[in-house]
Amino acid sequence: MAVEVGVEGRVQGVAFRAYTQEEAERLGVSGWVRNEPDGSVLVHAEGPEEKVEALAAWCRHGPSYARVDRVSVREVPDRGETGFRIRG
């Protein structure tokens, strides 16, 4: 299963990407996370359905310094990602 999770709110400048990477690695999810020009964060996550869903659920609150206002989740094609990295 693969999804893209868009996260809006105060999610840049609060270590959202680093904590997302940490959570993804803890769960065993592959993919990436990046800041978007509009101030949001985009997460691409691949792996077993229950683990991907757990990461998407975590994105609904993020780290303690974040303020998540809106989350969108959409299924996308699996890209064969290995590991989880911060893209930009």
Side-chain angles (χ1 to χ4, degrees):
M1 170 181 213
V3 299
E4 283 189 350
V5 182
V7 187
E8 298 176 35
R10 190 179 71 225
V11 293
Q12 291 189 14
V14 293
F16 197 98
R17 293 175 302 159
Y19 281 105
T20 302
Q21 181 181 36
E22 184 178 286
E23 185 67 10
E25 289 173 346
R26 185 186 74 76
L27 289 167
V29 172
S30 297
W32 48 262
V33 59
R34 72 177 182 215
N35 284 341
E36 295 290 282
D38 65 0
S40 66
V41 168
L42 183 64
V43 180
H44 175 86
E46 299 181 4
E49 184 174 355
E50 66 277 359
K51 293 182 179 195
V52 170
E53 287 177 352
L55 182 61
W58 179 88
C59 287
R60 294 186 186 284
H61 60 78
S64 60
Y65 295 114
R67 186 195 73 241
V68 176
D69 295 333
R70 184 175 311 155
V71 174
S72 62
V73 180
R74 67 183 184 104
E75 284 196 48
V76 295
D78 191 308
R79 298 180 181 170
E81 298 281 341
T82 57
F84 196 94
R85 65 191 184 285
I86 297 172
R87 283 184 120 177

